[in-house]
Amino acid sequence: MKKIAWIVVVMLVLSLVLAGCGTSEKSAVNNESGDKQSEASAEKVFVFGRGGDSVGLDPANVTDGESIYVTQQIYDTLVKYDKESTKVVPGLAEEWEVSKDGLEWTFKLRKGVKFHDGTPFNAEAVKFNFDRWMDENNPYHHGDFEYYMYMFGGFPGIISSVEVVDEYTVKIALEKPLAPFIQNLAMPAFAIASPEAIKKYGEDYFKHPVGTGPFKFVEWKKDDRIVLVKNEEYWGPEPKLDKVIFRTIPDNTARLMELEAGTIDAMIGVNPDDAARIKENPDLQLLLRPSMNVGYLAMNTEKTPFDNVLVRRAINHAINKEALIEAFYAGFAKPAKNPMPPSLWGYNDDIEDYEYDPAKAKALLAEAGYPDGFETTLWAMPVARPYMPQPMEIAQAIQQDLAAVGIKAEIVTYDWATYLEKGEKGEHDLYLLGWTGDNGDPDNFLYVLLDKNNAVKGAASNVAFYKNDKVHDLLVEAQMEMDQSKRAELYEEAQVYIHEDAPWVPLVHSTPVLAARKNVTGWVPHATGSESFIDIDIQ
């Protein structure tokens, strides 16, 4: 009996040693509280922490990064961006060609691809998705389809027809040339969804996403988590992760503490001040996302007193951007003077920013008829964003700057989905928001955010509701011009008008800070603000 007991002890010790040496595939989130625990399993579970929940999981109907991060794992697009740039490469379409007049695009589709529900991907599926997006009377056009409107100019907008040539060939006809057309198609919003799933779930499709991507949807617990599993039949490289869990942890510091404790594997929305703390921790790694964004304060130009350009210029002079960067960005940002980042071609560096000058701000307010200032509201986002890691604290600093020139601003906030919805309706006065570029084209900033076509209440991306016909003409001309150098000149001129009209205070261009456990590999942050997890692994 003693011998048997000794053998048992030895085996127990050996099992503990082996467990300590081989933990790379043994972690999982497996309880209701979300704690990550070790278990005797080979399953690779990647837990991703973020500040806000998704608004929806229908890629055609969301514009927020929290939603796009998830849909990008579930769906594929016809074309996509290169892993480290915005160069367009094949996706569900293996090749494509455009007619000499720029009016017809023909796509050869990948064969043998299935949606997660087992139905086939083909030209009919592509046509079904485009018809749904572009036709407001289509029986499956449930929602606002903002991105389609932003990028293609309304419903049907610039796309006149989508034709099935054969089972794996589709032809898209345009009413006029659109220079950024192929760049636009690579955006996650134009992912191809299962027609049968859309028919099955109707208006609730946003809760039951079905694509062809590397991960399949399993579960969504609102404001808590979204669970995806590996698509065993994925047409591309096999995903290295078995399961992906998106957890919602609103507070940046609390999220970082979970990363330090190992209950999550990676996170976005890092307070820049915490970068040093992450660097010093041998269990963590710090990652930086290439900067292609702008954080801004929009003034609702349809409301008094923001319909007065003198007031808007006064507010530009009132806000101390350098102080904001010093206090909240730890050097991971640069002051903005234009509504697009300097990393894009077409940026007008000759424009001189409105310098921080409270005395000049007061003088402009007096000239506008507000010598004693006025009262207003300042809307602040409830969640950290890549361009604004601490929105409430930044709002409070701006509130103090405004108070110094006589403007009393009450801070207002809502949950993330409501905040966006009310902003699109134009209910706000001053509105903090930002934008991470989707496709590396200036059109994606200037036309989307400041053209009058996108100041439609209820679906506005132009939340300043800024309307200038000269700017509109320049931006539309730039869309139809195929020569990039000529397009750049048009965008530079548009920025001059926008600067003079001052519908925003462009605040910062940030370099978003991300963090992960040391054993996470293959995470390459993309400039567009999100990326596929297909190459991520846990060692």
Side-chain angles (χ1 to χ4, degrees):
M1 291 294 290
K2 287 183 178 179
K3 184 177 181 181
I4 293 174
W6 181 82
I7 292 173
V8 169
V9 170
V10 170
M11 291 180 66
L12 178 61
V13 171
L14 283 173
S15 67
L16 290 172
V17 171
L18 289 171
C21 293
T23 58
S24 63
E25 298 181 357
K26 296 183 178 178
S27 57
V29 170
N30 57 4
N31 62 18
E32 289 300 318
S33 67
D35 293 333
K36 185 166 181 154
Q37 297 181 344
S38 294
E39 64 177 15
S41 166
E43 191 175 52
K44 289 189 177 183
V45 181
F46 180 63
V47 185
F48 188 81
R50 59 199 182 134
D53 198 2
S54 297
V55 173
L57 297 178
D58 177 354
N61 254 322
V62 295
T63 61
D64 65 299
E66 305 293 9
S67 299
I68 293 170
Y69 234 125
V70 181
T71 64
Q72 197 163 0
Q73 317 310 325
I74 300 172
Y75 295 90
D76 292 308
T77 42
L78 291 180
V79 293
K80 60 183 181 179
Y81 303 119
D82 182 67
K83 190 173 181 178
E84 298 187 49
S85 74
T86 52
K87 176 186 175 185
V88 174
V89 299
L92 287 174
E94 291 183 301
E95 56 185 271
W96 58 93
E97 61 181 21
V98 59
S99 60
K100 288 184 179 178
D101 60 8
L103 295 178
E104 284 190 353
W105 291 78
T106 303
F107 295 86
K108 294 288 186 182
L109 306 180
R110 198 175 294 277
K111 298 176 182 176
V113 179
K114 288 185 178 180
F115 291 103
H116 299 158
D117 57 7
T119 57
F121 163 77
N122 52 31
E124 289 288 355
V126 175
K127 177 176 170 54
F128 179 95
N129 277 267
F130 273 88
D131 287 348
R132 174 189 181 231
W133 302 333
M134 61 197 280
D135 181 3
E136 287 181 300
N137 296 316
N138 184 287
Y140 306 108
H141 189 96
H142 302 302
D144 295 322
F145 296 84
E146 289 105 322
Y147 259 120
Y148 186 91
M149 183 180 72
Y150 301 161
M151 309 314 297
F152 299 125
F155 307 104
I158 203 167
I159 297 178
S160 57
S161 68
V162 178
E163 175 190 353
V164 174
V165 178
D166 60 40
E167 187 174 4
Y168 294 105
T169 307
V170 65
K171 183 180 293 182
I172 301 175
L174 308 183
E175 284 196 347
K176 54 187 178 182
L178 180 63
F181 180 72
I182 197 70
Q183 292 292 134
N184 291 352
L185 282 191
M187 293 165 56
F190 305 117
I192 304 300
S194 162
E196 293 307 313
I198 291 170
K199 293 174 187 174
K200 177 180 179 181
Y201 294 110
E203 293 185 3
D204 283 338
Y205 177 71
F206 76 98
K207 294 185 287 189
H208 303 278
V210 179
T212 61
F215 296 96
K216 300 190 292 187
F217 173 77
V218 175
E219 179 186 36
W220 183 1
K221 290 186 177 179
K222 196 66 180 169
D223 296 321
D224 181 4
R225 70 184 59 191
I226 292 173
V227 180
L228 313 179
V229 296
K230 176 165 67 175
N231 176 9
E232 300 283 358
E233 299 179 278
Y234 188 54
W235 57 267
E238 181 183 358
K240 298 175 176 60
L241 302 168
D242 296 296
K243 184 182 289 184
V244 175
I245 299 176
F246 289 87
R247 283 193 54 203
T248 302
I249 307 169
D251 183 74
N252 292 359
T253 302
R255 203 177 319 119
L256 177 56
M257 290 174 68
E258 293 228 30
L259 184 70
E260 291 171 328
T263 54
I264 63 175
D265 294 297
M267 65 174 282
I268 52 177
V270 175
N271 285 338
D273 284 343
D274 289 327
R277 169 176 161 184
I278 294 167
K279 283 182 177 178
E280 292 170 359
N281 187 330
D283 296 326
L284 303 182
Q285 55 181 312
L286 185 76
L287 298 96
L288 299 178
R289 186 181 297 287
S291 180
M292 192 171 72
N293 63 43
V294 60
Y296 61 86
L297 176 70
M299 293 170 267
N300 191 335
T301 59
E302 291 189 340
K303 287 188 175 181
T304 303
F306 307 108
D307 55 351
N308 187 325
V309 68
L310 297 178
V311 170
R312 301 197 297 268
R313 290 174 182 168
I315 290 176
N316 268 275
H317 282 296
I319 295 175
N320 189 343
K321 300 176 192 178
E322 294 286 358
L324 292 178
I325 291 171
E326 183 177 349
F328 304 110
Y329 290 86
F332 292 101
K334 294 180 179 178
K337 61 182 181 181
N338 288 318
M340 58 183 273
S343 57
L344 292 191
W345 56 269
Y347 180 81
N348 190 337
D349 202 25
D350 291 334
I351 286 175
E352 292 187 13
D353 198 7
Y354 295 98
E355 74 274 20
Y356 171 59
D357 189 336
K360 187 174 288 186
K362 286 182 178 179
L364 284 168
L365 287 174
E367 186 181 349
Y370 299 94
D372 300 320
F374 55 84
E375 294 185 5
T376 188
T377 60
L378 168 58
W379 290 39
M381 294 171 287
V383 296
R385 308 303 305 137
Y387 40 77
M388 210 165 291
Q390 300 175 81
M392 191 55 66
E393 289 81 357
I394 288 173
Q396 290 165 351
I398 291 174
Q399 183 185 45
Q400 292 178 9
D401 283 344
L402 295 175
V405 300
I407 299 173
K408 184 178 180 181
E410 176 191 358
I411 294 178
V412 173
T413 192
Y414 295 94
D415 68 85
W416 185 219
T418 304
Y419 186 85
L420 293 173
E421 181 183 353
K422 286 180 173 290
E424 291 174 355
K425 291 179 179 177
E427 296 182 14
H428 53 279
D429 296 318
L430 299 170
Y431 191 76
L432 279 174
L433 199 61
W435 187 259
T436 298
D438 295 291
N439 64 11
D441 195 291
D443 178 78
N444 184 245
F445 279 85
L446 300 184
Y447 180 77
V448 171
L449 302 179
L450 289 161
D451 189 87
K452 67 178 185 180
N453 283 353
N454 289 320
V456 179
K457 285 189 175 177
S461 53
N462 176 357
V463 289
F465 294 89
Y466 169 61
K467 298 171 184 173
N468 181 312
D469 288 336
K470 180 63 178 176
V471 170
H472 172 74
D473 291 344
L474 288 166
L475 297 182
V476 171
E477 184 180 350
Q479 288 180 333
M480 294 188 292
E481 175 57 62
M482 304 305 282
D483 184 321
Q484 184 169 311
S485 62
K486 293 179 181 176
R487 292 186 70 206
E489 292 176 6
L490 295 167
Y491 288 126
E492 288 172 17
E493 185 178 354
Q495 287 166 78
V496 173
Y497 287 102
I498 294 168
H499 178 74
E500 291 174 350
D501 291 339
W504 292 3
V505 180
L507 295 172
V508 301
H509 304 296
S510 73
T511 299
V513 181
L514 320 173
R517 299 287 298 176
K518 206 72 171 184
N519 61 346
V520 172
T521 62
W523 187 17
V524 180
H526 197 269
T528 54
S530 60
E531 51 279 327
S532 170
F533 287 174
I534 193 167
D535 292 325
I536 291 181
D537 200 356
I538 300 175
Q539 301 298 323

